[in-house]
C-alpha cells in the first residue's frame, strides 16, 4: 500500500520539482521557501520524491508536468477508468469510492491520503465537474442511507449522534443488503433471514462477540441475543 502521496497543490509541487535538483529537495528548504509548516512540507517532499522516482526529468512547463503526472496516475491507479466509472455510475467523489474502485480496477490497495490526493488532483486538473444532485428521502431510513452513501463510510458513533433510531435503521439497511457493517460477519448470520434483531436464539451466535448482548426471557426461560453495533464500527455502502 502506497503511503507517500498526499493531497498537495500541484502548482507548488511543480515549482519545487523544477526549482531544485532532486538531491536538494527536503522539507526544511520547502518550508523556508514557501512559508509552509514542517508537517505540510514533509508531505510535499514525499510526493516530490515519489514522482521523481517515476518520471525522472520533470517538464519545465506546467502543461508538460500535468501530462507527465497524468501518465503516472494512469499507470499506477487506472486514473481515467476510475473517473469514468465514478461519473457513469454517479458515485459520490469521496475517498471510500476511490479506494474501492482502485482496488477493483487496478487490484491495488491505497490508503486514505492517496485517495484524497487523487480526488484533489482530479479537480485541479479539471478532469471532473461536481454537479449538485438530489436524493429523494421520504423516510428517515432513506435519509440515513443517503447520508451514508454520500460519504461512503461512516463510523456508527456519528450516525448514533445524528439519528435517534440509528441502530434499527442501520440493521434494516444491512438486512436489505444496502450497507455493510464492518466486522459483523463474525456472527455467521444471514441478515435476510433475521426477523427480530433483539430475539435471536443465543445458540445461533458467538456469545463473546462485541456485536452481541445476551438476555434471558424470564417468562419462558429461553436465552436470546440482541445485535448491537459498537460505536467505532464503520458502516459502509455496498
Amino acid at each position: 500500500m502506497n503511503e507517500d502521496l498526499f493531497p498537495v497543490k500541484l502548482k507548488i509541487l511543480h515549482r519545487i520539482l523544477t526549482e531544485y535538483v532532486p538531491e536538494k529537495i527536503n522539507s526544511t528548504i520547502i518550508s523556508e521557501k514557501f512559508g509552509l509548516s514542517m508537517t505540510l512540507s514533509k508531505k510535499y517532499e514525499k510526493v516530490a520524491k515519489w514522482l521523481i522516482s517515476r518520471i525522472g526529468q520533470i517538464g519545465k512547463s506546467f502543461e508538460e508536468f500535468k501530462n507527465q503526472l497524468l501518465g503516472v496516475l494512469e499507470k499506477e491507479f487506472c486514473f481515467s477508468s476510475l473517473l469514468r466509472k465514478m461519473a457513469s455510475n454517479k458515485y459520490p467523489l469521496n475517498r471510500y469510492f476511490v479506494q474501492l474502485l482502485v482496488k477493483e480496477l487496478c487490484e491495488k490497495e491505497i490508503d486514505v491520503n492517496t485517495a484524497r490526493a487523487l480526488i484533489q488532483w482530479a479537480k485541479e486538473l479539471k478532469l471532473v465537474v461536481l454537479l449538485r444532485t438530489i436524493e429523494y428521502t421520504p423516510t428517515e431510513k432513506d435519509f440515513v442511507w443517503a447520508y451514508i452513501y454520500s460519504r461512503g463510510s461512516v463510523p456508527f458513533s456519528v450516525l448514533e449522534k445524528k439519528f435517534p433510531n440509528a441502530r434499527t435503521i442501520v440493521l434494516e439497511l444491512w438486512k436489505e443488503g444496502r450497507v455493510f457493517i464492518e466486522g459483523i460477519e463474525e456472527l455467521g448470520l444471514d441478515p435476510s433471514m433475521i426477523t427480530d434483531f433483539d430475539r435471536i436464539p443465543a445458540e445461533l451466535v458467538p456469545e463473546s462477540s462485541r456485536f452481541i448482548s445476551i438476555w434471558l426471557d424470564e417468562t419462558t426461560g429461553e436465552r436470546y441475543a440482541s445485535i448491537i453495533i459498537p460505536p467505532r464500527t464503520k458502516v459502509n455502502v455496498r
Side-chain angles (χ1 to χ4, degrees):
M1 183 181 292
N2 191 291
E3 297 182 353
D4 290 329
L5 292 188
F6 299 89
V8 297
K9 294 186 180 300
L10 293 180
K11 288 195 174 179
I12 294 177
L13 179 63
H14 181 241
R15 286 186 60 189
I16 293 169
L17 289 166
T18 53
E19 292 180 16
Y20 299 97
V21 294
E23 56 269 23
K24 292 290 186 179
I25 295 176
N26 63 67
S27 56
T28 301
I29 288 177
I30 293 170
S31 178
E32 292 173 355
K33 173 71 175 181
F34 297 96
L36 304 174
S37 69
M38 281 301 296
T39 299
L40 183 54
S41 297
K42 287 177 181 178
K43 292 178 180 179
Y44 274 100
E45 178 185 352
K46 283 188 174 183
V47 177
K49 290 180 177 178
W50 183 87
L51 275 177
I52 289 170
S53 71
R54 285 156 176 79
I55 296 176
Q57 186 66 38
I58 304 297
K60 291 295 183 182
S61 73
F62 188 62
E63 285 301 315
E64 186 180 353
F65 169 64
K66 286 197 299 184
N67 289 331
Q68 290 176 318
L69 176 63
L70 282 172
V72 172
L73 298 182
E74 184 66 28
K75 181 178 179 181
E76 296 281 339
F77 308 110
C78 308
F79 200 45
S80 61
S81 297
L82 162 70
L83 296 178
R84 278 197 299 269
K85 186 154 188 176
M86 293 195 77
S88 63
N89 288 283
K90 308 297 182 186
Y91 290 143
L93 187 60
N94 59 44
R95 64 92 182 165
Y96 176 80
F97 280 105
V98 169
Q99 287 177 289
L100 193 69
L101 291 177
V102 169
K103 184 176 181 179
E104 175 187 321
L105 297 169
C106 286
E107 299 181 351
K108 178 180 292 187
E109 299 270 0
I110 62 172
D111 64 5
V112 172
N113 286 321
T114 299
R116 288 175 176 158
L118 295 179
I119 291 170
Q120 179 170 314
W121 296 341
K123 294 175 182 177
E124 285 191 52
L125 295 169
K126 298 180 179 179
L127 297 175
V128 295
V129 174
L130 301 182
L131 302 176
R132 290 189 177 186
T133 62
I134 64 169
E135 183 74 29
Y136 182 51
T137 56
T139 67
E140 186 179 21
K141 183 165 72 173
D142 291 325
F143 189 86
V144 172
W145 181 83
Y147 182 86
I148 298 168
Y149 184 76
S150 68
R151 290 156 178 79
S153 179
V154 184
F156 182 68
S157 59
V158 173
L159 298 173
E160 244 184 339
K161 290 177 183 177
K162 291 185 71 68
F163 307 105
N165 299 319
R167 171 185 171 268
T168 299
I169 292 172
V170 168
L171 288 176
E172 287 177 357
L173 291 171
W174 173 57
K175 181 176 180 176
E176 294 168 7
R178 298 170 71 186
V179 302
F180 174 70
I181 303 169
E182 286 192 358
I184 203 168
E185 66 274 9
E186 71 184 40
L187 298 183
L189 296 174
D190 178 352
S192 66
M193 301 300 290
I194 300 173
T195 57
D196 188 337
F197 293 113
D198 289 307
R199 202 174 179 83
I200 301 169
E203 65 270 16
L204 297 181
V205 296
E207 296 186 17
S208 60
S209 171
R210 61 196 177 104
F211 291 96
I212 289 298
S213 175
I214 301 294
W215 61 278
L216 178 69
D217 186 328
E218 295 182 356
T219 303
T220 65
E222 296 289 335
R223 297 171 70 249
Y224 292 98
S226 293
I227 296 180
I228 58 176
I229 307 175
R232 294 186 179 181
T233 303
K234 288 188 177 180
V235 181
N236 305 331
V237 295
R238 278 198 179 276

